[in-house]
Amino acid sequence: MAQVYFWEEVQKDYKKLDGILKQWVDAAEERLKIRGSEIGKSLGNTNYAKLAGFKELKNQKLGIRLIFNPSVNGN
């Protein structure tokens, strides 16, 4: 089972979410713990964001996405 770590800024943002969004984030976190880097869409670098090596889980209906860095050693 993979470990999931959140940056301090993310923890602050999480506290501001309403119930359904928190439920989605909690479910996404559980999926990441179980399946790790097997899930999510791979991202790349653009002119305004350097996201190569990161992946995203997205819920278009709710208008939210979770960007994560799948790391073998948890760093």
Side-chain angles (χ1 to χ4, degrees):
M1 183 174 283
Q3 292 184 327
V4 178
Y5 302 96
F6 290 102
W7 289 320
E8 186 176 324
E9 296 87 1
V10 173
Q11 293 173 4
K12 291 177 185 177
D13 289 342
Y14 176 81
K15 291 177 183 178
K16 297 176 187 175
L17 296 177
D18 67 9
I20 192 74
L21 293 175
K22 279 186 179 180
Q23 288 176 3
W24 184 85
V25 171
D26 292 343
E29 179 183 5
E30 287 303 312
R31 288 177 57 204
L32 285 170
K33 285 179 181 178
I34 294 168
R35 297 189 54 206
S37 63
E38 297 175 3
I39 61 174
K41 175 186 168 189
S42 294
L43 299 173
N45 291 334
T46 65
N47 290 336
Y48 55 89
K50 306 296 183 217
L51 296 174
F54 287 82
K55 288 187 159 190
E56 77 173 344
L57 293 176
K58 192 173 194 176
N59 186 317
Q60 290 181 342
K61 184 178 177 183
L62 295 176
I64 189 170
R65 72 179 180 161
L66 182 73
I67 297 175
F68 62 98
N69 183 358
S71 177
V72 175
N73 62 4
N75 292 330

